[in-house]
Amino acid sequence: MKKAFVRSYGCQMNAYDAARMADVLGQEGYAATDSVEEADIVVLNTCHIREKAAEKVYSELGRLRVLKGERKLAGQDTRIVVAGCVAQAEGSEILARAPAVDVVVGPQSYHRLPELLARSRETRVVDTEFPVEDKFDHLPARRNKGVSAFLTVQEGCDKFCAFCVVPYTRGAEVSRSVAAVTAEAAKLAEAGVREITLIGQNVNAYHGEGLDGGSAGLADLTRAVAAIPGIGRIRYTTSHPNDMGEDLIRAHAEIPALMPYLHLPVQSGSDRVLQAMNRKHTGEQYRRLIERIRAARPDIALSSDFIVGFPGETEAEFEDTMRLVADIGFQSAFSFKYSPRPGTPAADREDAVPESVKSERLAALQALLDRQRHAYQNAAVGSLTEVLVEKVGRHPGQVAGKTPHLLAVQFEAPASSIGRFVAVRIVEAGANSLFGEAVPRAEAA
């Protein structure tokens, strides 16, 4: 049987896209494999957000070129596909620099993979157009395994933050209809999925066609997904503060299935830096927004993104970020040193922060965020929570899952509990996960 190896880099959207590419190839008779050495098709689903992302892809392609040659000597054909955001950004440059690549396909065209692979038998292929047709209309049924799943509801971004390539690699904001999303969610529920994360580059800007033919927002979509039998939990990511409307804030108080966890990137605590980033909000506006969210859902756990060393950032402006983090308190966060992305406005600035200074600031910020994360985990000890069991644990007799606040928990229980919601009392906080004991329902009540 033919085999396909799909490797994904970067965000949850890429993880979703990689799974859907595996579905497309599965429909063509390719079985998924975790071994690149035995793959007849190798797909690299690339991310262009981080520094030197393209160079890392070319380095991997160099290794694949050797593998492709070895398999050819053994009489085996290997097709190499570069997909995703580096493919969109680099296009035919990939073919010029990596002669082993057969197909380059952007994130809006991967539903055409069978056609592109067929054409690659005659000539190497690049497809980085933004097609008129909706790729979701052409994708096969999902083959999701597990009790949680990502579900793309919105793609692209109209915000044009000065540091970000997404509007150029993913295009303008486009939202799927409520009917399309709920149909896919219902199929996932039938397959045993109990938790769905609605994803998009700017998911809370969702504005799809509602069931009544009018426009629906993310709060409306969440209510529709929550009504699907079997779906017990809903999350969404990633959001922009300026699209956090009052209807969505209320949804956190009114929809039991909407989990008390919110990833809401702020990027900086300095108003001048935020303006230079083209974020169109201030640190104080972010603080007031968090107050409204916490008033609606007092137990909500917060996560965010931070960039340190944006061009021109002073020490005082970095301290504004540290102060915002200290004021708000985050359960978790992602923090990065600024790295220029070709084609973005910030890449042309000449007031770069020295690399050594960026490293010092990142270390200080991460230390503060780590202290907050550990404090949040330690505060959970002794509490009773509900865990959705996702898989067997690292040790015999253990299972692992997530709390409503997206904390990882391990506890002793039979493997038959996978896919179930189990009451667990947290007894210990480890470095990266919690440990607990299953509690009988009678005691939990």
Side-chain angles (χ1 to χ4, degrees):
M1 190 174 187
K2 297 179 292 184
K3 296 181 179 180
F5 174 89
V6 181
R7 172 174 290 164
S8 188
Y9 306 82
C11 68
Q12 294 97 331
M13 184 76 77
N14 265 21
Y16 174 91
D17 287 347
R20 301 304 274 131
M21 280 187 269
D23 292 338
V24 170
L25 294 172
Q27 193 175 45
E28 297 295 310
Y30 289 88
T33 179
D34 293 328
S35 172
V36 68
E37 289 79 13
E38 65 180 22
D40 301 287
I41 290 179
V42 176
V43 179
L44 300 183
N45 191 36
T46 60
C47 175
H48 206 255
I49 295 296
R50 298 290 161 241
E51 185 178 14
K52 299 180 180 177
E55 293 307 315
K56 292 176 182 177
V57 171
Y58 289 120
S59 177
E60 181 68 17
L61 289 173
R63 290 188 286 271
L64 289 175
R65 181 183 186 182
V66 174
L67 174 63
K68 184 174 184 175
E70 293 172 345
R71 281 177 55 86
K72 185 175 182 179
L73 289 174
Q76 299 168 313
D77 181 46
T78 306
R79 304 273 101 186
I80 297 177
V81 178
V82 178
C85 291
V86 171
Q88 188 70 37
E90 300 281 324
S92 57
E93 177 69 13
I94 294 174
L95 296 188
R97 291 185 58 181
V101 173
D102 300 287
V103 175
V104 177
V105 58
Q108 304 306 327
S109 301
Y110 63 74
H111 60 290
R112 298 174 178 169
L113 259 180
E115 170 197 340
L116 301 177
L117 286 165
R119 286 168 51 195
S120 75
R121 300 288 178 183
E122 304 296 330
T123 183
R124 301 162 77 203
V125 180
V126 176
D127 188 342
T128 54
E129 298 298 319
F130 288 99
V132 175
E133 76 269 19
D134 186 346
K135 68 183 177 186
F136 295 101
D137 292 338
H138 300 272
L139 294 174
R142 293 185 64 171
R143 303 184 181 191
N144 191 80
K145 295 180 181 178
V147 300
S148 60
F150 295 124
L151 202 170
T152 293
V153 304
Q154 180 270 345
E155 289 192 286
C157 185
D158 295 343
K159 292 294 185 287
F160 288 91
C161 295
F163 53 81
C164 187
V165 297
V166 165
Y168 311 101
T169 59
R170 289 277 184 171
E173 289 178 358
V174 178
S175 298
R176 300 175 68 188
S177 69
V178 173
V181 172
T182 53
E184 186 171 341
K187 291 293 185 183
L188 290 170
E190 291 172 6
V193 169
R194 297 293 170 259
E195 177 179 296
I196 287 179
T197 301
L198 308 175
I199 59 174
Q201 265 83 35
N202 189 22
V203 71
N204 61 342
Y206 173 86
H207 51 277
E209 180 183 353
L211 297 176
D212 61 357
S215 179
L218 186 61
D220 303 310
L221 179 65
T222 301
R223 293 180 195 279
V225 174
I228 296 171
I231 299 301
R233 289 182 174 181
I234 301 171
R235 306 182 191 275
Y236 61 88
T237 194
T238 289
S239 300
H240 193 286
N242 291 358
D243 293 310
M244 198 76 198
E246 291 302 319
D247 59 339
L248 186 55
I249 294 174
R250 285 198 308 273
H252 278 276
E254 297 171 354
I255 304 174
L258 185 54
M259 292 294 95
Y261 176 90
L262 176 61
H263 183 68
L264 191 63
V266 62
Q267 305 299 356
S268 173
S270 161
D271 290 350
R272 193 204 63 80
V273 172
L274 288 168
Q275 183 180 29
M277 288 178 167
N278 196 35
R279 290 290 290 173
K280 297 186 174 68
H281 63 79
T282 67
E284 187 61 23
Q285 287 170 338
Y286 187 86
R287 285 179 170 89
R288 300 290 80 81
L289 175 60
I290 295 302
E291 287 179 358
R292 299 202 307 275
I293 294 168
R294 281 176 164 160
R297 189 67 194 257
D299 68 331
I300 198 161
L302 297 171
S303 174
S304 195
D305 290 345
F306 295 92
I307 295 173
V308 302
F310 188 80
E313 182 189 66
T314 66
E315 190 65 31
E317 289 166 343
F318 170 68
E319 288 302 324
D320 288 339
T321 297
M322 294 289 280
R323 189 158 35 258
L324 182 142
V325 172
D327 289 347
I328 291 176
F330 293 93
Q331 179 217 313
S332 60
F334 301 95
S335 53
F336 309 95
K337 292 187 290 185
Y338 169 76
S339 60
R341 310 311 305 136
T344 59
D348 297 328
R349 293 187 52 156
E350 298 180 354
D351 51 352
V353 175
E355 199 65 28
S356 59
V357 174
K358 288 195 285 188
S359 295
E360 290 173 3
R361 292 177 184 174
L362 181 64
L365 176 59
Q366 288 180 334
L368 175 57
L369 291 168
D370 281 345
R371 289 196 295 273
Q372 291 187 348
R373 179 171 62 88
H374 291 144
Y376 193 95
Q377 290 180 317
N378 290 332
V381 175
S383 66
L384 185 65
T385 188
E386 188 173 64
V387 174
L388 173 57
V389 183
E390 298 177 329
K391 59 186 179 181
V392 295
R394 286 178 290 184
H395 302 291
Q398 280 189 341
V399 294
K402 299 288 196 312
T403 73
H405 297 93
L406 206 61
L407 295 173
V409 180
Q410 299 184 58
F411 62 99
E412 291 186 2
S416 59
S417 62
I418 293 174
R420 298 179 182 175
F421 294 96
V422 178
V424 175
R425 189 172 303 282
I426 305 302
V427 298
E428 182 184 349
N432 297 304
S433 65
L434 302 174
F435 300 89
E437 297 175 344
V439 174
R441 281 293 172 185
E443 182 180 336

